Amino acid sequence: MTERVPVRENVLKENDRVAAGLRAAFGGRGIFCVNLISSPGAGKTSILEGTLEALRGSSVRAAVLTGDIQTERDADRLRRHGFPALQITTGGTCHLDAAMVRRALDSLPLDGIDVLFIENVGNLVCPASYDLGEDVKVVVLSVTEGDDKPLKYPGIFRRAGLMLLHKMDLLPHARFDPAAAVADARRVQPDLEVVETSCYGAPGLGAWIAWVQRRLEAKRAAEPHAQP
Amino acid sequence: MVPSVRCPLFQGIHELSIAESIADSVRQHAALRGGRRVRRIGVRVGDTSGVNAEALDFCFAIVVRGTDLEGAALDLERVPVRFRCEACGHEFEPAEFDPRCPACGVERGRLSGGDELSLAYLELDDEEPGRPGETTG
Ligand SMILES: Nc1nc2c(ncn2[C@@H]2O[C@H](COP(=O)(O)OP(=O)(O)O)[C@@H](O)[C@H]2O)c(=O)[nH]1
Ligand SMILES: [Mg+2]
Ligand SMILES: [Zn+2]
C-alpha cells in the first residue's frame, strides 16, 4: 500500500533561496542589478559595451558578469570599457543560476559597485526560470528576430520588467512591426516597459541608460540605509 | 493553442537541471518520512514555466537511473495559462493570450495561472524499507 503526501513547493526553491541571499547582498549595498536575457546575437554584449562606455564619464560605477557556454570572449570585449567584467562559463548549461552568480562574486567584490549587469546565456527559454537575485529581468528583442517572438516565448516576456527593442537602425530592412511586438508582449506582461535602442545610429542607447539611472536612484531612495 | 517551449540550444539540458532539482527535493521529503520508498511524484508544469513536460520526463528517467528513485513514476500535470478579467472577475483560458474576456467582452484579462513549476505530491510505500537491496526491482 502507498500513502499520498501533498507537498506544494516550488521545484526551484533551492535556487530561489540562493537568489534571495544575493538580493539581500545587493540591497544592503544599494546595488541595482539587471539580468539581461535574449537569444544569441540579439546584441546583449554590444548594448553593455555601449552602456559601460557611456557610464565611464558619469558617477555611476558598473560591473558585469557575463555568461557563456564556452568562451571568455564577451568578458574580453567588456573589459575594454573601464569597469570590471567577469566571465561565467557554464560548461554546457544553457542558463545562469543563482549559485553560479554567487560563486562568481567571490572574484568580483561588490563594494564600490552601483549597478551590476548580468549578461545571461543567449537563450530565450531556460534563463527565464532562474532568479539571480536581480532587481529586474530585461529582455532584448532585436528587430531581425521577428515580431512573433513574445507569444512564442511567453515565459521570458512574462517575467521581464523591461523590453529593449534593439537594432532599430535595421528596422527599414526588417519586416518587423514594433507596435505588434509590444502589444503581444503586453498580453503576457501588461506592466512591461519598452525602450527602443540601437548600437549603430538612432535612437542610440541614451533612453536605456537613463532608465537604468532612474531605477538606481529609485532603489537608493527606497532603501536610504544602503551604503553608497 | 499552447506555445511550444523547447531549449533552443540543447534540447533537454535545461530540463536536466530541473529534473535534478526535483530528485533532490523528493529525497529530502522522503528522508523526513523515514526514508520510505517513493512510488510516484506529482509535478505541476505551467504553460509559461518554460519547461517542456516531455523533455522533463525523459531527463528525470536519466537522472534517477541506478538511484533510490529509479522506477518512481513522474506524474506531470500541465497547468494551462489562465486569465482573470479585471473588469468582471471572470476566469478563462485565453487563446494565444488574447485578453478579451469571453464573459463581458472587455480586453482586460490578466494572467492568473500557468506560471508555476511545483512539486505537488509524493506517493510513498507505507512500510519503511528493509535491508538495502530488498526494495529494488
Ligand atoms: N545593426 C546593428 N547590429 C547590432 C546592433 N547591436 C549589436 N549588433 C550586432 O549583432 C551581433 C551580435 O551582437 P552581440 O552583442 O555579440 O550579441 P549577444 O550574443 O546578444 O551578446 C554583432 O555582430 C553586433 O555587431 C545594433 O544595434 N544594430
Ligand atoms: Mg554576448
Ligand atoms: Zn470580463
Side-chain angles (χ1 to χ4, degrees), chain A residues 101-189:
Chain A
V101 172
R102 191 176 59 183
R103 275 196 299 279
L105 291 178
D106 290 342
S107 320
L108 184 82
L110 286 177
D111 298 313
I113 294 175
D114 300 306
V115 181
L116 176 65
F117 296 101
I118 303 176
E119 177 183 353
N120 218 309
V121 178
N123 181 335
L124 275 180
V125 180
C126 316
S129 302
Y130 293 86
D131 184 1
L132 304 181
E134 73 275 340
D135 290 279
V136 61
K137 288 185 175 70
V138 173
V139 60
V140 181
L141 178 62
S142 60
V143 301
T144 50
E145 294 172 77
D147 50 28
D148 57 349
K149 294 303 171 288
L151 293 186
K152 283 194 175 173
Y153 300 94
I156 179 53
F157 291 90
R158 168 76 186 141
R159 289 163 184 80
L162 173 70
M163 169 166 74
L164 296 181
L165 275 184
H166 189 55
K167 305 194 187 179
M168 285 299 283
D169 59 293
L170 297 179
L171 191 60
H173 311 284
R175 297 208 163 59
F176 183 99
D177 180 351
V182 171
D184 281 356
R186 287 191 173 140
R187 282 183 167 198
V188 183
Q189 178 48 270

Side-chain angles (χ1 to χ4, degrees), chain A residues 36-49 66 68 74 77 119-120 122 140 142 144 166-170 197-202 204-205:
Chain A
L36 208 59
I37 297 172
S38 78
S39 47
K44 297 178 297 303
T45 310
S46 304
I47 290 169
L48 288 175
E49 288 189 84
T66 179
D68 193 60
D74 284 355
R77 281 167 64 185
E119 177 183 353
N120 218 309
V140 181
S142 60
T144 50
H166 189 55
K167 305 194 187 179
M168 285 299 283
D169 59 293
L170 297 179
T197 49
S198 168
C199 290
Y200 311 122
L205 296 174

Side-chain angles (χ1 to χ4, degrees), chain A residues 3 5 7-9 159 191, chain B residues 36 48 110 119-120 122 124:
Chain A
E3 178 200 359
V5 184
V7 180
R8 281 247 159 225
E9 68 180 25
R159 289 163 184 80
D191 300 325
Chain B
R36 287 182 286 161
T48 70
R110 271 188 90 112
L119 189 59
L122 303 181
L124 306 164

Side-chain angles (χ1 to χ4, degrees), chain B residues 5-7 10-16 18-19 50-62 74 76:
Chain B
V5 278
R6 277 172 194 277
C7 176
F10 309 114
Q11 160 90 49
I13 290 275
H14 166 238
E15 282 74 9
L16 205 57
I18 303 278
V51 171
N52 181 280
E54 266 172 57
L56 181 58
D57 201 32
F58 177 77
C59 289
F60 188 75
I62 294 173
L74 196 61
L76 295 170

Side-chain angles (χ1 to χ4, degrees), chain A residues 154 158 187-190, chain B residues 1-3 44-49 77-86 89-103 108-116:
Chain A
R158 168 76 186 141
R187 282 183 167 198
V188 183
Q189 178 48 270
Chain B
M1 262 300 296
V2 181
R44 290 164 58 84
V45 182
D47 275 348
T48 70
S49 70
E77 184 192 343
R78 205 199 105 198
V79 184
V81 171
R82 288 188 73 77
F83 273 8
R84 186 175 185 281
C85 173
E86 290 192 314
H90 181 65
E91 290 235 14
F92 58 101
E93 254 180 66
E96 288 214 326
F97 297 92
D98 183 353
R100 182 181 297 277
C101 170
R108 289 198 34 210
R110 271 188 90 112
L111 211 112
S112 62
D115 281 338
E116 76 184 279

